[in-house]
């Protein structure tokens, strides 16, 4: 599982940073990715990446400010030109449906793939056999959401040497044993799953927050996360201005991560007034609380490993 940033600037793009967008590439064999926000120019950023629009399965929108949604109409329209596109679901706050339907109606846009829109409320918003996603409201000038993505526990690897001792060759029985089911051989011998399957693999937790001032919801969404993506629009010492605009400083982001027991903190949504040296100073300050703090850069990729594998 990897997270790729396609835009890391706040408010407006710069020469090196586009406005907000990030892609979560799901583990094999799913071969799909989820997009979180789609600021203006997101599809242009995707052209410079390995991401393919026909493998985009879901789009999660945090809020309706332009630097988070103005790239949606063009991206959704262009996707019609890709063959074999999987069904796409757009998930976001109230108003996202009216925004998209209004733009498409006025522009005469018709999509050539299965597309649905769902407006969210706080709570569990998605669950399947691999993941569950929870949303909650943050503190911003517009209704804004954060998303917690939890990968479910998966079966551990089979002990192949032990299976060879039983004379069991690869086949359907392997799947049964990985699922925790015992298997009886033709000679009546029972193979116990507990004897031949390794410990279940703990799932990963990724939390991606929209624009926000520090709040309890941010801590709850990030609890014990392997990776937290948190905005850092302002530098330390600018807390009053950050609060006035519904944003956070880098140190406030680090404090949220500390209280939530986060493993890795990734700062993003940097003010266009900040130069590369300024961003580095924000990261160094946050590292006093969370040693594994990083600055998101456009096209930067972060591998999210399972806890057992470090």
């Amino acid at each position: 599982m990897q997270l790729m940033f396609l835009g890391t600037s706040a408010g407006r793009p710069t020469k090196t940073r586009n406005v907000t967008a990030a892609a979560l590439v799901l583990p094999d064999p799913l071969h799909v990715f989820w997009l979180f926000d789609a600021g203006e120019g997101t599809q242009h950023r995707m052209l410079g990446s390995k991401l393919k629009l026909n493998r985009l399965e879901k789009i999660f929108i945090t809020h309706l400010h332009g630097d988070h949604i103005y790239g949606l109409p063009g991206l959704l329209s262009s996707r019609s030109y890709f063959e074999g596109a999987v069904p796409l679901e757009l998930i976001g706050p109230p108003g996202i449906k009216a925004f998209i339907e209004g733009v498409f109606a006025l522009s005469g846009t018709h999509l050539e793939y299965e597309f649905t829109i769902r407006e969210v409320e706080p709570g569990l918003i998605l669950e399947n056999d691999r993941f569950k996603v929870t949303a909650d409201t943050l503190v911003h000038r517009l209704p804004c959401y954060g998303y917690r993505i939890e990968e479910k526990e998966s079966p551990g690897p089979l002990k192949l040497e032990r299976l060879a001792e039983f004379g069991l060759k690869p086949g359907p029985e392997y799947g049964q044993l990985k699922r925790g089911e015992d298997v009886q051989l033709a000679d009546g011998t029972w193979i116990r799953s507990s004897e031949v399957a390794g410990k279940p693999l703990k799932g990963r937790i990724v939390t991606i927050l929209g624009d926000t001032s520090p709040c309890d919801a941010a801590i709850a969404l990030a609890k014990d996360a392997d990776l937290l993506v948190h905005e850092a629009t302002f530098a330390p010492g600018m807390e009053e201005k950050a609060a006035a605009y519904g944003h956070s400083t880098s140190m406030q982001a680090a404090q949220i991560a500390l209280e939530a027991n986060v493993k890795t903190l990734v700062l993003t949504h940097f003010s266009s007034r900040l130069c590369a040296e300024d961003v580095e100073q924000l990261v160094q300050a946050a590292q006093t609380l969370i040693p594994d703090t990083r600055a998101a850069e456009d096209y930067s990729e972060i591998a999210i490993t399972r806890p057992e594998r470090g």
Side-chain angles (χ1 to χ4, degrees):
M1 189 154 60
Q2 286 188 321
L3 187 64
M4 174 186 287
F5 289 90
L6 299 170
T8 57
S9 180
R12 60 187 176 90
T14 70
K15 290 183 178 180
T16 57
R17 296 180 184 275
N18 196 43
V19 283
T20 301
L24 182 64
V25 181
L26 301 187
D28 294 338
L30 298 176
H31 303 299
V32 296
F33 71 96
W34 294 349
L35 186 65
F36 290 81
D37 286 334
E40 180 185 359
T42 293
Q43 69 167 315
H44 290 274
R45 273 294 195 258
M46 287 183 61
L47 294 175
S49 76
K50 62 186 177 183
L51 301 171
K52 304 298 181 184
L53 270 176
N54 59 352
R55 307 314 300 170
L56 173 58
E57 184 183 59
K58 296 186 185 297
I59 303 175
F60 296 85
I61 298 298
T62 61
H63 64 294
L64 302 185
H65 275 149
D67 58 323
H68 294 256
I69 65 168
Y70 283 170
L72 273 176
L75 183 152
L76 294 173
S77 178
S78 294
R79 194 171 184 271
S80 289
Y81 294 94
F82 286 78
E83 295 183 358
V86 299
L88 175 60
E89 182 179 30
L90 172 62
I91 299 170
I96 190 65
K97 184 177 178 70
F99 171 72
I100 293 298
E101 291 182 346
V103 170
F104 284 179
L106 291 171
S107 61
T109 299
H110 300 280
L111 304 182
E112 301 298 327
Y113 55 87
E114 184 179 337
F115 176 63
T116 55
I117 303 175
R118 179 156 56 100
E119 296 185 340
V120 300
E121 295 180 353
L124 181 65
I125 62 170
L126 182 155
E127 186 168 16
N128 55 34
D129 61 342
R130 295 289 299 270
F131 296 95
K132 68 176 183 178
V133 180
T134 305
D136 204 354
T137 51
L138 303 172
V139 177
H140 194 50
R141 291 175 294 163
L142 286 181
C144 186
Y145 283 84
Y147 296 100
R148 177 184 174 91
I149 305 96
E150 297 179 71
E151 182 184 33
K152 294 185 177 179
E153 188 177 80
S154 59
L158 293 176
K159 301 174 183 177
L160 300 182
E161 293 182 0
R162 188 79 177 95
L163 291 173
E165 294 175 5
F166 284 103
L168 186 65
K169 297 181 179 180
E173 293 85 358
Y174 274 37
Q176 291 177 249
L177 291 167
K178 287 199 72 170
R179 291 193 297 271
E181 302 170 11
D182 297 335
V183 170
Q184 186 176 29
L185 302 181
D187 63 3
T189 302
W190 280 94
I191 303 178
R192 306 299 178 186
S193 174
S194 59
E195 297 177 2
V196 298
K199 290 183 178 180
L201 300 176
K202 185 178 179 181
R204 291 158 281 196
I205 301 174
V206 180
T207 299
I208 301 176
L209 303 181
D211 296 359
T212 187
S213 293
C215 60
D216 291 341
I219 298 172
L221 288 170
K223 182 66 175 176
D224 297 326
D226 297 287
L227 178 69
L228 167 63
V229 179
H230 197 297
E231 66 129 292
T233 310
F234 291 97
M238 301 186 69
E239 288 78 12
E240 186 174 336
K241 188 171 184 179
Y245 288 94
H247 288 296
S248 298
T249 69
S250 60
M251 287 303 293
Q252 288 175 323
Q255 184 63 42
I256 292 292
L258 182 66
E259 294 185 34
N261 191 36
V262 166
K263 178 182 176 182
T264 299
L265 170 64
V266 182
L267 302 177
T268 188
H269 202 267
F270 300 109
S271 169
S272 58
R273 298 180 179 87
L274 298 174
C275 65
E277 292 76 12
D278 295 330
V279 170
E280 180 59 26
Q281 290 178 8
L282 299 191
V283 171
Q284 291 176 359
Q287 286 173 340
T288 61
L289 294 181
I290 304 295
D292 190 3
T293 296
R294 315 176 193 183
E297 306 285 346
D298 286 28
Y299 291 124
S300 62
E301 298 182 48
I302 298 178
I304 308 160
T305 58
R306 290 184 182 275
E308 288 81 358
R309 299 176 186 172

